Amino acid sequence: MSQSCLIVVPTLNEARHIGPLLHDLLVEAEAMDARIVVADGGSTDGTPAIVTDIAATQKRVTLIHNPKRIQSAAMNLAVAEFGDDTDFVIRIDAHGKYPADYCRKLLAEAERLGVDSIVVPMTTVGRSTFQRAVATAQNSLVGTGGSAHRTGKSAQQVDHGHHALMSIPAYRAVGGYDESFRFNEDAELDYRLGQAGYRVWLTDATSMTYFPRSTASGLFKQYFGYGGGRARNIVKHRMKPRIRQMVPLVILPTVLLAVLSIVHWGFLIPLLAWGLACFALGAVAARQHVKEYGLRLVQVPLVGVAAMIMHFAWSSGFWLHLVRTATARPGTA
């Protein structure tokens, strides 16, 4: 007998995407006999009204209010209210793009493999020139450090990946998402799943498309949060960071060291080496992805710029969280 599934869509100001997304998901929900829960974090752009209109004619769609606004709280709330007598939960990002049979493929993989969590490869696609440069960086070594779900590696058991489907019994057994995490909440949950003996599987049966930030400031803010979230994760679980996570840690010290170039030019060397490495690896990535993005020669340096923004923001967020933790009063970290 096919197992039951709950589809959850956390939203916050997704009026541009939510209508078409629900239209596509309803096809899957009908085929799977599944419920779709949109957990809205207080949108002001009309998202709740769009969902309400759809729910009025589609009984499979339910809108709930997420007072804590963040995605981790949205998922926990939906599972708490609608997860009883349901086998799996599928997390859908409203600003992503999915194949027509995405949910059905995930459920089929979970049933075939008997694993507790399915994560998916994630391909970043840009529309504007800057987005295409960011996408090129994020889909390559210079932007991700070789993360399995970002670089198209084959199906395998992993420690972490882009969240797609989870067993509700496993989800509840480890306590769901930690709502104190605004970023990196998925990696934190994956760590607890692994520690509890549950398996996380990176599938090659399906994938999702992600659209990156369209401005440098937006990209910086995002990766600043990622860095802080990773530091919070490491502090909470006393984890040892991987090499690909340790390398960016030198970036903030490198930038600060460059200030001493007023004393001697030699202090600029690490900064220049980092910049040259980013531009060189960015050019390699641009060449690899030229067919997908078609960046012109004069636009190729933007890939290196995007990578440098990501590295610096991640490093800054990580170190700032460590400093705040070290200086916080007991019980306030």
Side-chain angles (χ1 to χ4, degrees), residues 32-112:
M32 300 166 64
D33 192 23
R35 178 194 293 270
I36 302 169
V37 175
V38 178
D40 188 76
S43 297
T44 57
D45 67 343
T47 297
I50 295 171
V51 178
T52 299
D53 287 345
I54 294 173
T57 59
Q58 301 291 339
K59 63 179 182 180
R60 294 189 182 277
V61 177
T62 301
L63 173 68
I64 61 175
H65 176 57
N66 169 27
K68 295 183 180 179
R69 297 174 66 87
I70 58 177
Q71 289 184 325
S72 55
M75 292 297 299
N76 288 346
L77 184 62
V79 170
E81 291 192 21
F82 301 99
D84 293 348
D85 301 318
T86 305
D87 300 299
F88 295 101
V89 59
I90 293 177
R91 171 176 167 170
I92 296 290
D93 294 325
H95 51 274
K97 185 177 181 181
Y98 301 87
D101 58 354
Y102 179 77
C103 295
R104 283 166 284 182
K105 284 282 182 68
L106 292 174
L107 186 58
E109 280 284 271
E111 292 176 335
R112 180 178 70 86

Side-chain angles (χ1 to χ4, degrees), residues 119 148-149 154-161 190 198-202 242:
V119 296
H149 69 283
S154 60
Q156 58 186 291
Q157 187 169 331
V158 294
D159 295 329
H160 170 56
D190 283 341
Y198 296 108
R199 289 195 297 159
V200 179
W201 185 263
L202 174 65
R242 296 187 173 189

Side-chain angles (χ1 to χ4, degrees), residues 4-332:
S4 57
C5 194
L6 172 68
I7 302 170
V8 182
V9 188
T11 57
L12 182 62
N13 295 326
E14 296 287 357
R16 291 180 56 192
H17 306 107
I18 194 62
L21 177 65
L22 289 179
H23 175 78
D24 292 342
L25 288 176
L26 276 165
V27 176
E28 297 236 70
E30 289 289 343
M32 300 166 64
D33 192 23
R35 178 194 293 270
I36 302 169
V37 175
V38 178
D40 188 76
S43 297
T44 57
D45 67 343
T47 297
I50 295 171
V51 178
T52 299
D53 287 345
I54 294 173
T57 59
Q58 301 291 339
K59 63 179 182 180
R60 294 189 182 277
V61 177
T62 301
L63 173 68
I64 61 175
H65 176 57
N66 169 27
K68 295 183 180 179
R69 297 174 66 87
I70 58 177
Q71 289 184 325
S72 55
M75 292 297 299
N76 288 346
L77 184 62
V79 170
E81 291 192 21
F82 301 99
D84 293 348
D85 301 318
T86 305
D87 300 299
F88 295 101
V89 59
I90 293 177
R91 171 176 167 170
I92 296 290
D93 294 325
H95 51 274
K97 185 177 181 181
Y98 301 87
D101 58 354
Y102 179 77
C103 295
R104 283 166 284 182
K105 284 282 182 68
L106 292 174
L107 186 58
E109 280 284 271
E111 292 176 335
R112 180 178 70 86
L113 296 166
V115 295
D116 310 288
S117 175
I118 301 285
V119 296
V120 294
M122 183 178 180
T123 302
T124 309
V125 173
R127 297 185 175 102
S128 67
T129 297
F130 182 75
Q131 277 187 313
R132 290 196 295 271
V134 173
T136 302
Q138 290 182 344
N139 290 333
S140 62
L141 183 67
V142 69
T144 64
S147 177
H149 69 283
R150 285 280 200 171
T151 53
K153 293 182 179 178
S154 60
Q156 58 186 291
Q157 187 169 331
V158 294
D159 295 329
H160 170 56
H162 184 75
H163 280 189
L165 174 146
M166 280 177 280
S167 156
I168 288 183
Y171 184 98
R172 285 178 163 172
V174 300
Y177 286 101
D178 183 337
E179 294 178 14
S180 68
F181 280 69
R182 297 187 66 87
F183 295 91
N184 211 235
E185 78 285 350
D186 49 357
E188 194 279 331
L189 177 53
D190 283 341
Y191 178 81
R192 284 186 282 118
L193 285 170
Q195 290 296 106
Y198 296 108
R199 289 195 297 159
V200 179
W201 185 263
L202 174 65
T203 182
D204 59 0
T206 190
S207 63
M208 64 90 64
T209 300
Y210 171 78
F211 300 101
R213 299 297 190 270
S214 58
T215 64
S217 60
L219 183 66
F220 182 92
K221 183 178 179 180
Q222 179 185 32
Y223 273 79
F224 185 88
Y226 285 168
R230 174 55 65 179
R232 187 184 185 94
N233 202 345
I234 288 172
V235 170
K236 176 181 177 179
H237 296 292
R238 301 186 183 278
M239 299 164 57
K240 181 180 179 180
R242 296 187 173 189
I243 293 176
R244 68 179 177 83
Q245 295 165 347
M246 294 176 68
V247 171
L249 296 184
V250 304
I251 301 306
L252 179 60
T254 293
V255 173
L256 295 177
L257 188 65
V259 175
L260 296 177
S261 63
I262 58 175
V263 177
H264 191 279
W265 64 270
F267 290 109
L268 275 176
I269 292 176
L271 180 66
L272 293 174
W274 167 52
L276 287 173
C278 286
F279 283 110
L281 291 173
V284 171
R287 183 176 180 180
Q288 291 174 337
H289 295 283
V290 66
K291 290 184 179 179
E292 296 108 301
Y293 304 116
L295 287 171
R296 296 192 297 272
L297 185 61
V298 295
Q299 297 170 337
V300 168
L302 277 178
V303 180
V305 171
M308 292 180 75
I309 292 171
M310 291 156 59
H311 295 171
F312 179 61
W314 195 97
S315 185
S316 299
F318 189 101
W319 283 113
L320 181 59
H321 181 81
L322 290 189
V323 170
R324 284 176 172 172
T325 300
T327 58
R329 289 175 296 178
T332 63

